[in-house]
């Protein structure tokens, strides 16, 4: 099941480029379908993880919905074949133009993150003569114990609504001709590698539902618990597919869904990370003082996670099979000291022209590429 690189096809391609193992993506999607159909859960794919059209099409064909965070993503989702009703739209700063796009296309749901946003959505829906389906994104104040740049469910984060304003907002939706209240939305962070934060989230939601019922709110059709399920960056071949079954089972066992209530998930990373690798060519091997550098043609502009989140992607020398192991700092060509993919990496001897793979790069890789230093954007092969 782990990725076999078609190196014979890599020869002609210009590097760096993303290689996507579509077979692994299909197997991952099959695993997700297997668990979610057992429990009757729905998954929206969080498009911001990877919006490559080939990947989107495959995910759409597998029957997932789309979780979007911009007008551009809504447009790309529609183009890839997702039905408008299967698209949800989240984000703290939706512009009027983006809201109008969502209203005119008739998307499934706006995940609302502030009182003022709800007012603007209502006003624009009235002007358009349509009804906006809305869910309220609640900040559950749960520490997901992940990198502080990717935690989202704490009170200090900019995301979501404080529970104290939620009952009034629900009442406002009920009274409005232009708003239809759909449910509650949560998302506590990303690359979460233990299930404990999710168990806490279930407890928090159970308590909230009890509380809302005491206040007379009984019309919550859907609960959306966001995404964040982590993957194994250290050993992608050992865990090519995330542990979906225990994750979904935990919600089945711990969340007290009311009669007829739908449970939604928004997974990004866990769907696409392991199927992608950034393929790069070694330009130079440089002997430094007490260091040996493998200088590659990919940089932080192609894969920014190491520079942005201190993340580490497993590095493989695809052409060095059988050579003796040596130690390298693997660095890119960009004029920034943070442009480093790995320190003290043990790799089969690296020579000019070798192809290296930066593994587990299918999520938050290609989609975050930039043209800094006026470099070309990386290509892809599927
Ligand atoms: C980013 C994001 C997700 C997906 O997170 P992953 O860690 O990639 O699963 C889901 N929901 C919302 C609201 C997000 O912003």
């Amino acid at each position: 099941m782990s990725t076999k690189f078609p190196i014979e096809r890599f020869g002609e391609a210009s590097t760096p480029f993303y290689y996507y193992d579509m077979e692994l993506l299909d197997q991952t999607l099959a695993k997700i379908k297997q668990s979610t159909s057992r429990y009757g859960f729905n998954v929206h794919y969080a498009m911001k993880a990877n919006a490559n059209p080939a990947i989107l099409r495959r995910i759409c064909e597998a029957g997932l919905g789309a979780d979007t965070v911009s007008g551009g993503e809504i447009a790309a989702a529609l183009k890839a074949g997702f039905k408008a009703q299967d698209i949800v739209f989240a984000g703290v700063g939706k512009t009027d133009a983006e809201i109008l796009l969502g209203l005119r296309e008739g998307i499934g749901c706006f995940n609302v993150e502030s009182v003022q946003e709800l007012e603007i959505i209502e006003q624009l829906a009235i002007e358009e003569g349509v009804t906006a389906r809305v869910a309220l994104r609640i900040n559950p104040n749960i520490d997901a114990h992940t990198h502080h740049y990717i935690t989202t469910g704490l009170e200090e984060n900019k995301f979501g609504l404080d529970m104290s304003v939620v009952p009034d907002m629900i009442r406002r939706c009920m009274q409005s001709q232009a708003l239809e209240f759909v449910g509650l939305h949560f998302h506590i962070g990303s690359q979460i590698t233990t299930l404990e934060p999710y168990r806490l989230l279930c407890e928090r939601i159970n308590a909230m539902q009890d509380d809302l019922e005491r206040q007379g709110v009984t019309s919550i059709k859907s609960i959306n618990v966001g995404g964040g399920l982590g993957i194994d960056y250290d050993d992608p071949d050992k865990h090519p597919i995330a542990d979906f079954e225990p994750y979904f089972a935990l919600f089945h066992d711990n969340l007290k869904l009311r009669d007829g209530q739908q449970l939604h998930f928004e997974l990004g990373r866990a769907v696409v990370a392991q199927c992608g690798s950034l393929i790069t060519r070694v330009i130079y091997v440089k002997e430094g003082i007490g260091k040996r550098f493998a200088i590659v043609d990919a940089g932080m502009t192609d894969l920014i996670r190491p520079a942005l989140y201190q993340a580490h992607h497993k590095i493989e020398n695809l052409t060095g099979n059988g050579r003796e192991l040596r130690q390298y700092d693997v660095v890119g060509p960009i004029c920034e000291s943070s442009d480093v993919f790995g320190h003290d990496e043990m790799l089969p001897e690296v020579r000019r022209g070798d192809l290296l793979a930066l593994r587990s790069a299918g999520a938050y890789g290609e989609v975050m590429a930039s043209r800094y230093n006026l470099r070309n954007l990386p290509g892809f092969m599927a």
Side-chain angles (χ1 to χ4, degrees):
M1 205 144 47
S2 63
T3 293
K4 296 269 178 298
F5 293 98
I7 306 188
E8 63 293 347
R9 286 172 60 208
F10 289 180
E12 311 92 72
S14 99
T15 49
F17 65 90
Y18 278 88
Y19 171 68
Y20 296 119
D21 178 347
M22 297 308 255
E23 220 172 291
L24 179 56
L25 177 61
D26 286 342
Q27 285 163 349
T28 306
L29 291 165
K31 268 274 157 41
I32 293 173
K33 290 309 269 186
Q34 195 181 23
S35 293
T36 51
S37 55
R38 174 174 316 148
Y39 302 121
F41 297 162
N42 290 296
V43 178
H44 290 100
Y45 166 62
M47 265 179 73
K48 72 178 193 289
N50 189 325
N52 182 296
I55 298 237
L56 286 185
R57 227 171 298 122
R58 206 56 83 89
I59 293 173
C60 177
E61 283 162 13
L64 276 64
D67 167 36
T68 64
V69 290
S70 72
E73 285 192 357
I74 293 173
L78 290 167
K79 196 164 171 209
F82 290 94
K83 292 199 206 77
Q85 75 244 34
D86 296 329
I87 297 175
V88 300
F89 181 19
V92 293
K94 302 177 189 76
T95 65
D96 292 18
E98 290 174 319
I99 292 168
L100 281 171
L101 174 67
L103 290 173
R104 287 172 187 159
E105 297 290 348
I107 62 166
C109 188
F110 292 85
N111 293 339
V112 174
E113 305 213 18
S114 67
V115 174
Q116 194 167 35
E117 182 192 331
L118 186 68
E119 291 166 5
I120 297 302
I121 290 176
E122 181 180 27
Q123 185 189 317
L124 293 173
I126 290 169
E127 285 167 23
E128 290 293 306
V130 295
T131 303
R133 283 171 295 280
V134 298
L136 302 181
R137 176 169 180 181
I138 296 168
N139 185 331
N141 197 25
I142 286 174
D143 192 347
H145 300 290
T146 183
H147 190 277
H148 64 283
Y149 280 8
I150 50 178
T151 186
T152 59
L154 283 172
E155 275 165 359
E156 69 196 45
N157 299 125
K158 67 181 175 182
F159 300 100
L161 293 155
D162 184 76
M163 193 56 205
S164 61
V165 298
V166 168
D168 274 349
M169 287 176 79
I170 295 176
R171 276 188 275 277
R172 174 167 189 148
C173 293
M174 302 293 188
Q175 283 156 12
S176 171
Q177 292 294 323
L179 298 174
E180 181 189 336
F181 174 66
V182 173
L184 305 178
H185 174 226
F186 305 84
H187 174 65
I188 57 175
S190 201
Q191 184 53 17
I192 297 170
T193 50
T194 70
L195 290 180
E196 184 58 16
Y198 291 115
R199 205 186 50 74
L200 284 174
L201 176 62
C202 290
E203 276 178 13
R204 207 61 59 86
I205 296 172
N206 291 338
M208 270 176 213
Q209 291 227 76
D210 291 345
D211 191 43
L212 285 169
E213 278 170 1
R214 275 194 294 274
Q215 298 186 52
V217 176
T218 53
S219 52
I220 301 170
K221 289 187 216 115
S222 91
I223 302 285
N224 180 337
V225 291
L229 181 64
I231 60 122
D232 188 348
Y233 281 98
D234 297 328
D235 201 344
D237 290 326
K238 191 166 160 208
H239 296 118
I241 297 180
D243 281 335
F244 291 111
E245 175 54 31
Y247 168 76
F248 289 120
L250 176 126
F251 286 94
H252 174 76
D253 294 341
N254 290 275
L255 193 62
K256 294 185 188 129
L257 290 176
R258 295 352 190 208
D259 271 352
Q261 240 173 21
Q262 279 281 344
L263 185 58
H264 293 261
F265 294 81
E266 297 169 340
L267 293 169
R269 186 191 313 269
V271 182
V272 289
Q274 296 295 34
C275 81
S277 295
L278 178 60
I279 309 298
T280 181
R281 203 176 281 282
V282 177
I283 317 174
Y284 301 113
V285 178
K286 173 162 118 173
E287 299 289 338
I289 307 293
K291 280 259 181 217
R292 190 179 296 116
F293 296 98
I295 303 171
V296 299
D297 63 3
M300 60 191 282
T301 52
D302 308 295
L303 178 64
I304 202 176
R305 297 190 65 259
L308 189 59
Y309 311 123
Q310 288 122 25
H312 181 259
H313 290 257
K314 187 175 176 214
I315 303 174
E316 253 174 70
N317 185 349
L318 299 179
T319 18
N321 268 345
R323 294 184 203 152
E324 208 173 308
L325 291 181
R326 304 188 78 180
Q327 192 166 310
Y328 300 89
D329 278 16
V330 178
V331 302
I334 317 286
C335 305
E336 296 284 343
S337 299
S338 55
D339 188 31
V340 176
F341 290 120
H343 293 283
D344 304 326
E345 298 276 338
M346 293 305 291
L347 296 170
E349 187 194 340
V350 171
R351 298 178 190 158
R352 173 176 162 85
D354 283 355
L355 289 174
L356 305 189
L358 292 152
R359 304 290 307 275
S360 313
Y364 306 105
E366 186 188 355
V367 81
M368 287 176 114
S370 82
R371 288 210 54 214
Y372 181 47
N373 284 198
L374 294 191
R375 288 163 54 81
N376 291 327
L377 291 171
F380 79 96
M381 188 187 288

